Amino acid sequence: MYPRHNAERHAEAAALYESVPAKFPESQHASRAALARGKCHYLAGNFAQARNLLADFLQTKGPAAYEAAHWTARTWLEEKQPQKAVEVAEGMIPQARGDKSEWLAPLLMDRADAVYAIAERRKESIGFFEAVAQTAPQDPIGAQALYMAAFASLEVGDNAGALKRAEAFLAAHPKHDLAAEVTQIKAEGHLLLNQWKEADAEYAKLLAQQAEHPDRLLWSVRRALAATCALTR
C-alpha cells in the first residue's frame, strides 16, 4: 500500500526530524516531528523503531493518535502479525469515527487488510473492505477497498459476490488503473458460475483493450475454456 523503495532517504529524513525536539523542545513542532520520524522509519523498513516512536501517541486522542495507529498497524502487517494490526486499528476506529476524522478510512483499511491476512477470517474481510469503500467512495482508498472486496470474494469461492462487486467497481471507476484486474475478476466470476458466453465476452474485451498486459496468456486460455464450454455444454 505504501511503497518503501527509497529506504535510505526515509532514514535520512527520520534523522533530520530527530533534531527538531532538541532544538525546539517546547514547540508544537516537536510532537509533529516525532510522529513524522515514526512514519519515516516505517517507510524505511525500521518497523520496531517506528513503533517505539509512535507508542506514546497511541495513549492520546485526536488526529496524531489516529495517524500513529495507522502507521503502527502497517508495521505489524509488514511483519506478518495481522492480529496485532487488527487490535491497533480497532482500538482507534471508534474515536476516529466519532470525530469524523480523515484517518477513519485508512484505519478501516488497516483492519480490512489485517483480517484478510488471517486465512480463517478472509471471508469476513469482504465486509470490512466494503465498509472502507462506503466511507470513502471518491477517495483512492475506497477504490482499492472495493477491488479487494471483489478479489477476496473470488478467493473464498463467493463467485456471485465477486461478480457483483466487480460490476460495482467498474460502474464507479471505469477508468481506474485497476479496471483490467477487476474486469478479470468479473470474467472469472462469470466463468465459475457457468456463464460461458459472458465470460468469453469479458475475456475478449480484456484481450482487445490490454495489448501489453502480462496476463494476456492466462486470459487467452480462460477465454478458450469459456468458448469451448459454451459450445459443448
Side-chain angles (χ1 to χ4, degrees):
M1 186 175 178
Y2 298 97
R4 291 182 285 104
H5 45 267
N6 290 318
E8 186 174 338
R9 284 179 135 188
H10 292 307
E12 291 172 356
L16 289 174
Y17 281 121
E18 189 173 4
S19 68
V20 174
K23 293 179 179 178
F24 310 100
E26 304 301 323
S27 169
Q28 62 178 343
H29 298 304
S31 176
R32 291 299 307 170
L35 186 58
R37 281 176 64 206
K39 174 183 175 180
C40 286
H41 278 296
Y42 161 75
L43 292 169
N46 303 323
F47 304 126
Q49 197 166 351
R51 286 194 296 272
N52 288 336
L53 288 164
L54 297 169
D56 288 345
F57 291 96
L58 300 181
Q59 309 307 314
T60 65
K61 295 181 180 180
Y66 308 146
E67 183 177 357
H70 167 63
W71 296 118
T72 300
R74 301 317 296 188
T75 69
W76 288 124
L77 280 168
E78 291 286 351
E79 292 188 338
K80 302 190 186 307
Q81 298 194 55
Q83 183 54 44
K84 290 185 177 181
V86 171
E87 292 166 4
V88 171
E90 288 189 335
M92 210 60 76
I93 284 171
Q95 293 179 38
R97 179 177 282 115
D99 288 347
K100 298 181 180 178
S101 171
E102 64 179 329
W103 288 100
L104 176 59
L107 286 166
L108 291 172
M109 191 68 170
D110 296 335
R111 177 178 64 178
D113 283 337
V115 171
Y116 173 86
I118 302 170
E120 60 271 22
R121 296 187 66 185
R122 187 156 297 167
K123 186 173 184 179
E124 187 182 353
S125 76
I126 297 167
F128 289 140
F129 283 124
E130 289 187 315
V132 181
Q134 291 164 6
T135 299
Q138 303 305 317
D139 191 275
I141 201 172
Q144 176 70 25
L146 192 52
Y147 160 73
M148 283 302 302
F151 183 78
S153 298
L154 199 62
E155 281 207 321
V156 302
D158 180 8
N159 302 319
L163 180 57
K164 178 186 75 173
R165 294 174 181 107
E167 289 174 337
F169 180 102
L170 294 168
H173 311 284
K175 304 296 185 181
H176 197 277
D177 289 347
L178 289 170
E181 282 67 26
V182 177
T183 301
Q184 181 177 351
I185 293 171
K186 181 181 178 183
E188 197 66 12
H190 280 305
L191 187 62
L192 294 172
L193 290 168
N194 299 338
Q195 297 170 355
W196 318 120
K197 291 182 179 180
E198 292 86 348
D200 183 13
E202 293 299 329
Y203 278 119
K205 183 193 303 181
L206 280 169
L207 289 165
Q209 295 177 350
Q210 302 290 331
E212 304 298 328
H213 199 283
D215 287 338
R216 281 181 59 83
L217 179 58
L218 172 63
W219 297 342
S220 295
V221 171
R222 300 303 279 173
R223 184 191 179 192
L225 174 61
T228 300
C229 289
L231 291 173
T232 61
R233 300 188 186 184

